Amino acid sequence: MTTLPPPAEELRLLDAELWHLDARRAVLLRRREWLVHTLSAASARQPARDRGATPSVWPAGAGSAARRPETPAPKVQNVLLLLGGILLTIAAIAFTLVSWGQMGIAGRALVLGAVTVAALGVPVTLLRRGLGSTAEAVAGLGMALTVLDAYALHEALLTGTDGLRYAAAASAVLAGTWVAYGVGVSALASPAREAAARKGAAGGGARLVLRLPAPLAAATAQLPPLLWALATGAGPHTLTAVLLVTAAADTAVALRTTRLSVRILAVVGACGMGASGVLAAGWLCWSASGPGSAARAAALLALAATIALVAARFVPEREIAIGSALAGGLCLVAGVGGVLRASVPGEWTVPGCLAGALALTTVPPTRLPEPVRRGLAWASLTVQGLAVLWAVPLVAGTLIGPAAWVGRIWSDAPGGTRAAVFAEVPWPPYAATVPLVLLVVAGVQALTGRGATWRPVATTGALVLGWATAFVLPAVLDLPHPAGLVTQGVVIVAALGCAEWARRASVEAAGPSPSHLTAVVLALITSLHLALLSLASEPATIGVLVALTALFGAAGVRRGLGPFAAPASLGYATALACAIGASAGWQPQHTALLVLVVPGAGAVIAARLGGTSAAVPVEVTGTVAMVLAVVLAVTDPPTLALVLSLGAVIAAGTALRAERRSGGYVAAVLFLLAAWVRLAAWEVTTAEAYTLPVTAAALVVGFLRRRRDPALSSWAAYGAGLTVTLLPSLLAAWEDRHWLRPLVLGTAALAVTLVGARHRLQAPLVLGGSVLALVALHELAPYIAQVVGVLPRWVAPALAGLLLLALGATYEQRLRDARRVREVFGRFR
């Protein structure tokens, strides 16, 4: 037994060993620092010495990454094998189809068969040796040779056989043969695979199974049914059935197989064959001439729907299941619609499709998986959307049709609403059931949206569809014209009521409601349609405008409707004033005085509204009405002056409000324009009659502003006012041959100059002095002309020469002074 030292001795030994370890660690750390410094210095010197070489301090293998092959060896191997197989296949095709010496088709068939057997047998040996890629290439060549063998067999022994029948049988035999060949080769290679697995061979046994025969067999299996149907001269219904049955088989293969390549080909085949079959069945169903043929095609669509729904039931991917169920639901609805189209009148086809779409959502939820139910719901929603699009032409025609009455106001009193609405717009076919379709879709939206997260969107959609139903109903029922007008008025009242209800609901829910704004917009659209529709007759126009003015005026007192209803009321009041004037036979300028009532009322209403959101729209509407009144009165200057004066009074009244002080400028401009128009009506041509009132008012305003703000510039206070009179009068004085205007203008300019000098104001001094000098020049101009005429002709060139010499001397003097300054500065150190 080993004797342990005493604890004290053992502790001493451990401390000594730890000290030696610490010392050794310190030496190693210093050595490491030196090596790092050496390597860093070597790597810094290396680029200057040789930029392309690898530093010697690094291992030799560090630069091997730069020489790494661009293509890995397995890819090179696969490309070579693929090219080899393609070239051999091309050679075999040329050998079979063209010729080979003097050998006939029978001899070539025997040689080709022997080569095929050899090519199909070699992969077994290759698989046993672990050469899976080479085996795949040779197997592909062998399967391509089997196709050539089938062709050679037909040309050698079965020349009298129909080509399509033989192709159908040959493709079926080849598909089965390739499946059996793949299974057989895998079975023969399985002992080798087990042995390789036991020896731990690289890749295991996965590379010892042929993967090519099964996908090729799946692709070839698409052909026999279709080729056989074409060979037997099958009709379109049979061909469509064959396509759908093939799609069903592909779907079954895709759902059952576990091999990815086979599943992909089966899915592609199912989608391609299924889509072709569905399109063909849909065309047959919707173009059928009788219920019998339509029912046969509908049965094909039902078969397609069954395939899609079964696939949706068992496919594991949720998105694919939803899409498949969507396609199945659409196929069912299309079949129902095709049968209805051939059995009932045309206007009931879309309602029937809509009923079929709604039936898709009545299946109990417990009987179908959630993806299938969601897909059917999307199919139902799609059909509903298509039904709404089918109703759009009638709604659009009803909306824009009354605009034709603008060009022929009060020209006719139509007997029915349809004739009034669709006077110049074609009536859509099968429009009798449009209100029913819109109402049903609106009800579905309202019911399905309750309690859902998208309830606001559903409510808004239901509101729009309900409005569209009531909007087109008078034209569809062809109500009498007065009854149609009353119905549209009821729609407006209902829309405003819905807007108020939506506003209250949003207040209670403490959140915005899109239905409120939507209902208001629908009410305004309907009111515009009603106003245009009433243009057919004079009594209807006045009655409708009175009703709309009162209705929107009453709605304008509501908080949520005020910004929209109050301006609309003023707008229809403006139209009412114009209609009353036209009905009474007034001239446009007289109607303008009646239109002025609207801006006055707008100013009063805006003052009552204060700072609410409805004030600005009301003022804008009143301004537009004021502009309209001016346009109506522009042909009669006295009336135009009166209209401008009244508008100025309205603007001045608006300027009394603290937040609308800027309206005073508008009032001043309108008063000024009114005065000018009145002077023009009196045929006053003296410029001062137009400018002096402006100057007086501007000077008074400038004087008051300088009293409040003594620092204000005289140009800002008096410049504009003085310019308005002095400049036009100066221009008139230069054209005036009499002495009175220059004398008065010179006297006024002298007075302005003296006032400016007395109070040390720059604007009066400059403007008055300039005008006084120009007036004096104007008065002395004849005498100057006489003097110029007496002087010799050489005086003018001489004076010009003297002027140029003086300018040159001055320029030279300045250059010399600049040179001296530069020399002086150059002496400084």
Side-chain angles (χ1 to χ4, degrees), residues 522-537:
L522 295 178
L524 294 176
I525 292 174
T526 311
S527 66
L528 181 60
H529 171 269
L530 177 59
L532 294 175
L533 190 61
S534 67
L535 296 178
S537 63

Side-chain angles (χ1 to χ4, degrees), residues 370-398:
E370 188 273 337
V372 177
R373 286 188 283 110
R374 185 173 292 274
L376 292 178
W378 277 108
S380 176
L381 187 61
T382 302
V383 175
Q384 294 177 41
L386 294 176
V388 172
L389 289 179
W390 171 74
V392 165
L394 179 60
V395 178
T398 306

